[in-house]
CSV table of all heavy atoms in Angstrom, one decimal:
chain,number,residue,atom,x,y,z
D,1,TYR,N,131.9,86.1,-24.3
D,1,TYR,CA,132.2,84.7,-24.5
D,1,TYR,C,133.5,84.2,-24.1
D,1,TYR,O,134.5,84.8,-24.4
D,1,TYR,CB,131.8,84.5,-26.0
D,1,TYR,CG,130.4,84.6,-26.2
D,1,TYR,CD1,129.7,85.8,-26.2
D,1,TYR,CD2,129.6,83.4,-26.6
D,1,TYR,CE1,128.3,85.8,-26.6
D,1,TYR,CE2,128.2,83.5,-26.9
D,1,TYR,CZ,127.7,84.7,-26.9
D,1,TYR,OH,126.2,84.8,-27.2
D,2,TYR,N,133.5,83.1,-23.3
D,2,TYR,CA,134.6,82.5,-22.9
D,2,TYR,C,134.7,81.1,-23.4
D,2,TYR,O,133.8,80.3,-23.5
D,2,TYR,CB,134.7,82.4,-21.4
D,2,TYR,CG,134.6,83.8,-20.7
D,2,TYR,CD1,133.4,84.4,-20.4
D,2,TYR,CD2,135.8,84.6,-20.3
D,2,TYR,CE1,133.3,85.6,-19.7
D,2,TYR,CE2,135.7,85.7,-19.8
D,2,TYR,CZ,134.4,86.2,-19.4
D,2,TYR,OH,134.4,87.5,-18.7
D,3,CYS,N,135.9,80.6,-23.7
D,3,CYS,CA,136.2,79.1,-23.9
D,3,CYS,C,137.0,78.6,-22.7
D,3,CYS,O,137.7,79.4,-22.1
D,3,CYS,CB,136.9,78.8,-25.2
D,3,CYS,SG,138.5,79.6,-25.3
D,4,ALA,N,136.7,77.4,-22.5
D,4,ALA,CA,137.4,76.7,-21.3
D,4,ALA,C,137.7,75.3,-21.7
D,4,ALA,O,137.0,74.7,-22.5
D,4,ALA,CB,136.5,76.7,-20.1
D,5,SER,N,138.8,74.7,-21.0
D,5,SER,CA,139.2,73.4,-21.3
D,5,SER,C,139.0,72.5,-20.0
D,5,SER,O,139.2,72.9,-19.0
D,5,SER,CB,140.6,73.4,-21.8
D,5,SER,OG,141.5,73.7,-20.9
D,6,THR,N,138.7,71.1,-20.3
D,6,THR,CA,138.8,70.2,-19.2
D,6,THR,C,139.2,68.8,-19.9
D,6,THR,O,139.0,68.7,-21.1
D,6,THR,CB,137.5,70.0,-18.6
D,6,THR,OG1,137.6,69.1,-17.5
D,6,THR,CG2,136.4,69.6,-19.6
D,7,TYR,N,139.7,67.9,-19.1
D,7,TYR,CA,140.2,66.6,-19.7
D,7,TYR,C,138.9,65.9,-20.2
D,7,TYR,O,137.9,65.9,-19.6
D,7,TYR,CB,140.8,65.8,-18.5
D,7,TYR,CG,141.6,64.7,-19.1
D,7,TYR,CD1,142.8,64.8,-19.9
D,7,TYR,CD2,141.2,63.3,-18.9
D,7,TYR,CE1,143.5,63.8,-20.4
D,7,TYR,CE2,142.0,62.3,-19.5
D,7,TYR,CZ,143.1,62.5,-20.2
D,7,TYR,OH,143.8,61.5,-20.7
D,8,GLY,N,139.0,65.3,-21.4
D,8,GLY,CA,137.9,64.8,-22.0
D,8,GLY,C,137.1,63.8,-21.3
D,8,GLY,O,135.8,63.7,-21.5
D,9,THR,N,137.6,63.0,-20.5
D,9,THR,CA,136.7,61.9,-19.8
D,9,THR,C,135.9,62.6,-18.6
D,9,THR,O,135.1,61.9,-18.1
D,9,THR,CB,137.7,60.9,-19.2
D,9,THR,OG1,138.6,61.6,-18.3
D,9,THR,CG2,138.4,60.1,-20.2
D,10,ARG,N,136.1,63.8,-18.4
D,10,ARG,CA,135.3,64.5,-17.3
D,10,ARG,C,133.9,65.1,-17.9
D,10,ARG,O,133.1,65.4,-17.1
D,10,ARG,CB,136.1,65.6,-16.7
D,10,ARG,CG,137.4,65.2,-16.1
D,10,ARG,CD,138.2,66.4,-15.5
D,10,ARG,NE,137.5,67.0,-14.4
D,10,ARG,CZ,137.8,68.1,-13.8
D,10,ARG,NH1,139.0,68.8,-14.4
D,10,ARG,NH2,137.2,68.7,-12.8
D,11,VAL,N,133.8,65.0,-19.1
D,11,VAL,CA,132.6,65.6,-19.7
D,11,VAL,C,131.6,64.5,-20.2
D,11,VAL,O,131.9,63.5,-20.8
D,11,VAL,CB,133.0,66.5,-21.2
D,11,VAL,CG1,131.7,66.9,-21.8
D,11,VAL,CG2,133.9,67.6,-20.7
D,12,TYR,N,130.3,64.8,-19.7
D,12,TYR,CA,129.3,64.0,-20.2
D,12,TYR,C,128.1,64.9,-20.6
D,12,TYR,O,128.1,66.0,-20.4
D,12,TYR,CB,128.7,63.1,-18.8
D,12,TYR,CG,129.7,62.2,-18.2
D,12,TYR,CD1,130.6,62.7,-17.3
D,12,TYR,CD2,129.9,61.0,-18.8
D,12,TYR,CE1,131.6,61.9,-16.8
D,12,TYR,CE2,130.8,60.1,-18.3
D,12,TYR,CZ,131.6,60.6,-17.3
D,12,TYR,OH,132.7,59.7,-16.7
D,13,GLY,N,127.0,64.3,-21.2
D,13,GLY,CA,126.0,65.0,-21.6
D,13,GLY,C,125.2,65.8,-20.5
D,13,GLY,O,124.6,66.8,-20.9
D,14,SER,N,125.3,65.3,-19.2
D,14,SER,CA,124.6,65.9,-18.2
D,14,SER,C,125.4,66.9,-17.4
D,14,SER,O,124.8,67.7,-16.6
D,14,SER,CB,124.1,64.9,-17.2
D,14,SER,OG,125.3,64.3,-16.7
D,15,ASN,N,126.8,67.1,-17.7
D,15,ASN,CA,127.6,68.0,-16.9
D,15,ASN,C,128.4,69.0,-17.6
D,15,ASN,O,129.1,69.9,-17.1
D,15,ASN,CB,128.5,67.2,-15.9
D,15,ASN,CG,129.6,66.7,-16.7
D,15,ASN,OD1,129.7,66.6,-17.9
D,15,ASN,ND2,130.6,66.2,-16.0
D,16,TRP,N,128.2,69.0,-19.0
D,16,TRP,CA,129.2,69.8,-19.8
D,16,TRP,C,129.0,71.3,-19.5
D,16,TRP,O,129.9,72.0,-19.8
D,16,TRP,CB,128.8,69.7,-21.3
D,16,TRP,CG,127.5,70.0,-21.8
D,16,TRP,CD1,126.4,69.5,-21.8
D,16,TRP,CD2,127.2,71.4,-22.2
D,16,TRP,NE1,125.3,70.2,-22.2
D,16,TRP,CE2,125.8,71.4,-22.5
D,16,TRP,CE3,128.0,72.6,-22.3
D,16,TRP,CZ2,125.2,72.6,-23.0
D,16,TRP,CZ3,127.4,73.8,-22.8
D,16,TRP,CH2,126.0,73.7,-23.2
D,17,HIS,N,127.9,71.7,-19.0
D,17,HIS,CA,127.6,73.1,-18.8
D,17,HIS,C,128.0,73.6,-17.4
D,17,HIS,O,127.8,74.8,-17.0
D,17,HIS,CB,126.1,73.4,-19.0
D,17,HIS,CG,125.2,72.6,-18.1
D,17,HIS,ND1,125.0,71.3,-18.3
D,17,HIS,CD2,124.5,73.0,-17.0
D,17,HIS,CE1,124.1,70.9,-17.4
D,17,HIS,NE2,123.8,71.9,-16.7
D,18,PHE,N,128.5,72.7,-16.5
D,18,PHE,CA,129.0,73.1,-15.2
D,18,PHE,C,130.3,73.8,-15.3
D,18,PHE,O,131.3,73.1,-15.7
D,18,PHE,CB,129.0,71.9,-14.2
D,18,PHE,CG,127.7,71.3,-14.0
D,18,PHE,CD1,127.6,70.0,-13.6
D,18,PHE,CD2,126.5,72.1,-14.1
D,18,PHE,CE1,126.3,69.4,-13.4
D,18,PHE,CE2,125.3,71.5,-13.8
D,18,PHE,CZ,125.1,70.2,-13.4
D,19,ARG,N,130.5,74.9,-14.8
D,19,ARG,CA,131.7,75.7,-14.8
D,19,ARG,C,132.8,74.9,-14.0
D,19,ARG,O,134.0,75.0,-14.5
D,19,ARG,CB,131.6,77.0,-14.3
D,19,ARG,CG,130.7,77.9,-15.2
D,19,ARG,CD,130.5,79.3,-14.5
D,19,ARG,NE,129.5,79.2,-13.4
D,19,ARG,CZ,129.4,80.1,-12.4
D,19,ARG,NH1,129.9,81.2,-12.4
D,19,ARG,NH2,128.6,79.9,-11.4
D,20,THR,N,132.4,74.3,-13.0
D,20,THR,CA,133.4,73.7,-12.1
D,20,THR,C,134.2,72.6,-12.7
D,20,THR,O,135.3,72.1,-12.2
D,20,THR,CB,132.7,73.2,-10.8
D,20,THR,OG1,131.5,72.3,-11.2
D,20,THR,CG2,132.2,74.4,-10.1
D,21,ILE,N,133.7,72.0,-13.8
D,21,ILE,CA,134.5,70.9,-14.4
D,21,ILE,C,135.7,71.3,-15.2
D,21,ILE,O,136.6,70.5,-15.7
D,21,ILE,CB,133.7,69.8,-15.1
D,21,ILE,CG1,133.0,70.4,-16.4
D,21,ILE,CG2,132.6,69.3,-14.2
D,21,ILE,CD1,132.5,69.3,-17.2
D,22,TYR,N,135.7,72.6,-15.6
D,22,TYR,CA,136.8,73.3,-16.4
D,22,TYR,C,137.9,73.8,-15.6
D,22,TYR,O,137.7,74.4,-14.6
D,22,TYR,CB,136.0,74.3,-17.3
D,22,TYR,CG,135.1,73.7,-18.2
D,22,TYR,CD1,133.7,73.5,-17.8
D,22,TYR,CD2,135.4,73.2,-19.7
D,22,TYR,CE1,132.8,73.0,-18.7
D,22,TYR,CE2,134.5,72.7,-20.5
D,22,TYR,CZ,133.2,72.6,-20.1
D,22,TYR,OH,132.3,72.0,-20.8
D,23,ASP,N,139.1,73.5,-16.2
D,23,ASP,CA,140.3,73.9,-15.4
D,23,ASP,C,140.9,75.2,-15.9
D,23,ASP,O,141.4,75.9,-15.1
D,23,ASP,CB,141.3,72.8,-15.6
D,23,ASP,CG,140.9,71.4,-15.1
D,23,ASP,OD1,140.4,71.4,-13.9
D,23,ASP,OD2,140.9,70.4,-15.9
D,24,TYR,N,140.8,75.4,-17.2
D,24,TYR,CA,141.5,76.6,-17.7
D,24,TYR,C,140.5,77.4,-18.5
D,24,TYR,O,139.7,76.8,-19.3
D,24,TYR,CB,142.7,76.2,-18.6
D,24,TYR,CG,143.8,75.5,-17.9
D,24,TYR,CD1,143.9,74.2,-17.8
D,24,TYR,CD2,144.8,76.3,-17.1
D,24,TYR,CE1,144.9,73.6,-17.1
D,24,TYR,CE2,145.8,75.6,-16.4
D,24,TYR,CZ,145.8,74.3,-16.4
D,24,TYR,OH,146.8,73.7,-15.7
D,25,TRP,N,140.7,78.8,-18.6
D,25,TRP,CA,139.7,79.7,-19.1
D,25,TRP,C,140.5,80.6,-20.0
D,25,TRP,O,141.6,81.0,-19.7
D,25,TRP,CB,138.9,80.3,-18.1
D,25,TRP,CG,138.0,79.4,-17.3
D,25,TRP,CD1,138.2,78.6,-16.4
D,25,TRP,CD2,136.7,79.3,-17.6
D,25,TRP,NE1,137.1,78.0,-16.0
D,25,TRP,CE2,136.1,78.4,-16.7
D,25,TRP,CE3,135.7,79.9,-18.5
D,25,TRP,CZ2,134.7,77.9,-16.6
D,25,TRP,CZ3,134.3,79.4,-18.5
D,25,TRP,CH2,133.9,78.5,-17.6
D,26,GLY,N,139.9,81.2,-21.1
D,26,GLY,CA,140.4,82.2,-21.8
D,26,GLY,C,139.9,83.5,-21.2
D,26,GLY,O,139.3,83.7,-20.2
D,27,GLN,N,140.4,84.7,-21.8
D,27,GLN,CA,140.1,86.0,-21.2
D,27,GLN,C,138.7,86.5,-21.7
D,27,GLN,O,138.4,87.5,-21.1
D,27,GLN,CB,141.3,86.8,-21.6
D,27,GLN,CG,141.2,87.5,-23.1
D,27,GLN,CD,141.4,86.5,-24.2
D,27,GLN,OE1,141.8,85.4,-24.0
D,27,GLN,NE2,141.0,86.9,-25.5
D,28,GLY,N,138.2,85.9,-22.8
D,28,GLY,CA,136.9,86.3,-23.2
D,28,GLY,C,136.9,87.3,-24.4
D,28,GLY,O,137.9,88.0,-24.6
D,29,THR,N,135.8,87.3,-25.2
D,29,THR,CA,135.6,88.1,-26.3
D,29,THR,C,134.2,88.6,-26.2
D,29,THR,O,133.3,87.9,-26.0
D,29,THR,CB,135.9,87.5,-27.5
D,29,THR,OG1,136.0,88.5,-28.5
D,29,THR,CG2,135.1,86.3,-27.9
D,30,GLN,N,134.1,89.9,-26.5
D,30,GLN,CA,132.7,90.5,-26.3
D,30,GLN,C,132.0,90.4,-27.6
D,30,GLN,O,132.4,90.7,-28.7
D,30,GLN,CB,133.0,92.1,-26.1
D,30,GLN,CG,131.6,92.9,-26.0
D,30,GLN,CD,130.7,92.6,-24.9
D,30,GLN,OE1,131.2,92.5,-23.6
D,30,GLN,NE2,129.4,92.3,-25.1
């Protein structure tokens, strides 16, 4: 499981699940 961040105005109900809108990612946790 990974968390990722993106500027708030880039997120909509139809695109939140697209990896490409996120800029930074964590290293993940199993």
Side-chain angles (χ1 to χ4, degrees):
Y1 283 70
Y2 301 88
C3 63
S5 67
T6 186
Y7 198 65
T9 56
R10 298 177 70 187
V11 174
Y12 298 93
S14 59
N15 75 347
W16 68 269
H17 58 288
F18 292 155
R19 291 172 291 168
T20 53
I21 70 168
Y22 294 86
D23 302 307
Y24 295 95
W25 293 79
Q27 82 290 347
T29 186
Q30 176 71 46

